């Protein structure tokens, strides 16, 4: 499997150097080179991308700001001259943090880690998962899930007929759900897009329930929900 990657950096020499490194790795396929986070944001709407080599300090929009506004970002390796952002980067669950000037040896270590996480990632082969709730394992079919709601150290799995509370994180559950059907709309909510009945402002109607859409995710969320299905006059 080729890992589809994009380089984003406002410095031409930095972009050129990373391109040279990517060309040496057989399992990497470079599908884009961007000079700004804004350009990258546009590219991500039209191309499938598995991995970002992302600079942090860029004009208008930083790499961190972009990452915080993507509902389901690709895996990320930060490439930066500023080490003070390292802790923030790992809070965003990045793969690695490369400080410029970047040696090929350090680059190779980072992309090998990415290979393990991306190319060898396990994807759901069944249409259900088991979760632990009330000291027992409960089988939950993906098609039955209306939405997930994070509640401190727990997640509520809401179905049409039950509310299952399990001790886990929203991120961990989302990683085990089909990416084509489930979408994070808010820091505390993931919805089954097939179950959405209404959209009113920043609220999604799902049967008798509602789920919020955060302001910073609204554009991306609406685009993915509506796609080309919005019938205008």
């Amino acid at each position: 499997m080729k890992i589809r990657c994009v380089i984003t950096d406002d410095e031409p020499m930095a972009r050129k150097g990373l391109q040279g490194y990517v060309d040496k790795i057989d399992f990497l396929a470079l599908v884009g080179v961007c000079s700004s986070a804004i350009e990258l944001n546009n590219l991500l709407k039209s191309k499938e991308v598995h991995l970002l080599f992302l600079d942090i300090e860029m004009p208008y929009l930083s790499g961190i700001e972009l990452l915080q506004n993507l509902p389901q970002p690709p895996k990320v390796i930060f490439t930066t001259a500023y080490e003070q952002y390292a802790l923030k980067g790992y809070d965003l669950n990045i793969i690695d943090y490369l400080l410029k000037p970047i040696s090929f040896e350090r680059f190779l270590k980072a992309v090998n880690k990415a290979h393990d996480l991306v190319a060898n990632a396990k994807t759901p082969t069944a249409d259900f998962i088991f979760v632990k709730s009330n000291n027992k394992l409960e089988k939950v079919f993906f098609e039955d899930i209306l939405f997930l709601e994070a509640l401190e150290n727990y997640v509520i799995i809401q179905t049409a007929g039950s509310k299952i509370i399990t001790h886990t994180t929203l991120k961990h559950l989302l990683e085990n759900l089909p990416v084509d059907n489930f979408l994070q709309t808010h820091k505390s909510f993931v919805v089954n897009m097939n179950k959405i009945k209404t959209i009113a402002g920043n609220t999604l109607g799902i049967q008798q329930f509602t789920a919020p859409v955060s302001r910073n995710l609204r554009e991306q969320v609406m685009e993915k929900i509506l796609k080309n299905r919005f019938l205008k006059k």
Side-chain angles (χ1 to χ4, degrees):
M1 173 185 174
K2 288 277 191 177
I3 297 177
R4 295 168 59 84
C5 61
V6 173
I7 294 168
T8 302
D9 200 301
D10 63 331
E11 299 176 2
M13 290 304 296
R15 295 195 299 270
K16 184 177 180 180
L18 285 172
Q19 282 181 262
Y21 284 175
V22 169
D23 289 344
K24 297 179 185 297
I25 308 297
D26 288 341
F27 59 78
L28 294 179
L30 187 63
V31 298
V33 179
C34 301
S35 59
S36 70
I38 296 171
E39 186 181 344
L40 173 61
N41 184 65
N42 294 332
L43 181 147
L44 291 175
K45 295 180 184 300
S46 61
K47 291 188 178 182
E48 179 186 3
V49 178
H50 305 131
L51 176 65
L52 302 178
F53 296 100
L54 184 60
D55 190 18
I56 293 178
E57 288 281 359
M58 291 183 284
Y60 302 109
L61 187 71
S62 74
I64 287 176
E65 289 168 339
L66 172 66
L67 197 54
Q68 289 173 327
N69 282 278
L70 293 175
Q72 292 179 280
K75 298 297 184 184
V76 174
I77 295 174
F78 274 144
T79 58
T80 179
Y82 303 95
E83 61 182 341
Q84 66 264 34
Y85 296 111
L87 183 58
K88 181 64 176 177
Y90 288 112
D91 285 343
L92 294 169
N93 199 36
I94 65 168
I95 291 176
D96 212 335
Y97 192 97
L98 302 182
L99 282 173
K100 299 174 183 177
I102 301 167
S103 69
F104 181 73
E105 179 184 5
R106 187 66 184 85
F107 175 86
L108 182 63
K109 181 178 180 180
V111 297
N112 280 338
K113 189 188 302 184
H115 182 276
D116 291 340
L117 292 173
V118 178
N120 298 326
K122 295 181 179 179
T123 56
T125 56
D127 58 355
F128 62 88
I129 53 174
F130 279 94
V131 298
K132 189 172 184 180
S133 179
N134 293 325
N135 297 316
K136 63 182 178 182
L137 294 177
E138 290 203 33
K139 188 177 188 178
V140 182
F141 285 95
F142 299 144
E143 64 179 16
D144 291 338
I145 298 173
L146 302 180
F147 60 86
L148 311 176
E149 181 181 359
L151 188 65
E152 294 184 352
N153 297 321
Y154 294 85
V155 174
I156 296 171
I157 302 175
Q158 183 68 58
T159 70
S162 65
K163 178 188 289 187
I164 301 167
I165 301 176
T166 183
H167 187 272
T168 187
T169 64
L170 198 63
K171 179 180 181 299
H172 179 66
L173 271 180
L174 184 58
E175 288 173 346
N176 287 277
L177 296 175
V179 295
D180 291 338
N181 296 339
F182 289 87
L183 175 67
Q184 186 157 7
T185 64
H186 183 276
K187 66 179 181 180
S188 300
F189 278 82
V190 168
V191 303
N192 184 341
M193 289 188 287
N194 293 328
K195 304 294 184 179
I196 297 169
K197 297 298 183 184
T198 61
I199 303 172
N202 290 330
T203 302
L204 305 176
I206 305 173
Q207 293 193 12
Q208 72 270 33
F209 304 98
T210 59
V213 178
S214 63
R215 185 177 304 174
N216 63 322
L217 296 180
R218 177 178 168 77
E219 182 179 349
Q220 296 94 324
V221 168
M222 292 300 116
E223 181 176 327
K224 187 156 187 179
I225 292 173
L226 296 176
K227 292 184 178 177
N228 296 319
R229 303 187 187 95
F230 179 38
L231 185 61
K232 299 180 180 179
K233 290 184 179 180

